[in-house]
Amino acid sequence: MFHIIVIGESGRVITEMDEDDYESFIIKCYNFREDNSLDMLRVSYTDKSGKGYLITTETLNEMIDTWLDPGFMFTIGYPLQY
């Protein structure tokens, strides 16, 4: 599960949301990136065992760019050529 927090310029939390589906998560982040800086997002991922991971802005940009690349299919962290 992906947990997304949007932080405003004042440092206050604007909204929080959870997304279970990877593709829906990437689309939300991509759409956000069209109008805003991904630096405004705080994103974490919780795996099936319950362990949480913070996703950096750089990693999030790479995830989006890989998802947009027609030469790759992306599955949670592993780009696989088709």
Side-chain angles (χ1 to χ4, degrees):
M1 173 186 299
F2 295 94
H3 183 72
I4 306 166
I5 300 173
V6 180
I7 310 274
E9 291 179 11
S10 65
R12 299 178 114 181
V13 173
I14 296 173
T15 190
E16 292 185 51
M17 65 190 92
D18 291 323
E19 187 59 63
D20 291 325
D21 179 64
Y22 179 78
E23 189 168 6
S24 296
F25 159 73
I26 289 295
I27 291 169
K28 284 181 182 174
C29 292
Y30 170 80
N31 289 337
F32 186 86
R33 185 174 80 170
E34 291 295 300
D35 298 322
N36 302 285
S37 169
L38 289 179
D39 291 331
M40 295 175 65
L41 297 182
R42 299 295 177 260
V43 179
S44 61
Y45 171 73
T46 305
D47 64 17
K48 292 178 182 177
S49 70
K51 188 172 182 177
Y53 304 90
L54 185 63
I55 299 175
T56 65
T57 300
E58 180 180 337
T59 300
L60 190 53
N61 270 310
E62 289 175 10
M63 291 168 76
I64 293 168
D65 292 341
T66 302
W67 178 76
L68 291 171
D69 183 351
F72 287 89
M73 291 189 109
F74 199 89
T75 59
I76 305 297
Y78 300 99
L80 303 173
Q81 283 191 307
Y82 61 87

